[in-house]
Amino acid sequence: MRPLPCVLLYMATTALAEYPELPMLHGMRAAILAQTNRLDEARESAAKVRQLQPNFPVADFGNRFADAAVRDRFQAALRKAGALGMQTDGRPSKKQRRQIQLLRDFK
């Protein structure tokens, strides 16, 4: 693993030891693991995100990052990790499509 992802993973894991209930930290860990192709561990972290916050907004994750390219990489990594049931190509899952259609019909 390259030095920077290793440091980021250490920081996320250390923060999770102190604040295990924060979905954002599990999301950060999932993204870092996915970017380093540790997909089994990434999926475990993504599952923890879904457990803590079932409606975790991948599309909003990282909107406060100063660099939009960094935000885009994190969002793509979360999708790769399987956060919110998103497929690796970024398309909504069948369940999400049903939920979106229900919301549209509700209006």
Side-chain angles (χ1 to χ4, degrees):
M1 185 184 309
R2 296 182 319 240
L4 183 59
C6 185
V7 169
L8 293 174
L9 181 59
Y10 172 78
M11 291 171 63
T13 303
T14 302
L16 278 168
E18 183 98 13
Y19 305 102
E21 73 286 352
L22 292 179
M24 180 202 62
L25 291 175
H26 289 281
M28 294 286 280
R29 185 172 187 274
I32 294 164
L33 289 165
Q35 286 297 85
T36 56
N37 290 318
R38 294 169 62 179
L39 296 181
D40 290 336
E41 293 171 273
R43 287 184 189 107
E44 289 175 16
S45 287
K48 188 67 175 175
V49 171
R50 287 190 305 274
Q51 175 190 349
L52 292 170
Q53 187 177 350
N55 298 326
F56 186 80
V58 171
D60 295 337
F61 187 80
N63 281 343
R64 295 182 185 213
F65 291 166
D67 187 344
V70 172
R71 178 204 62 219
D72 294 344
R73 282 197 304 272
F74 265 98
Q75 290 177 356
L78 280 169
R79 289 184 185 97
K80 184 177 180 180
L84 281 183
M86 294 295 284
Q87 300 172 10
T88 56
D89 61 3
R91 293 181 301 144
S93 66
K94 184 184 269 187
K95 179 179 178 182
Q96 287 176 319
R97 287 193 302 271
R98 282 194 306 263
Q99 291 171 340
I100 291 167
Q101 189 58 50
L102 286 172
L103 287 172
R104 287 181 181 150
D105 292 345
F106 183 72
K107 293 179 182 180

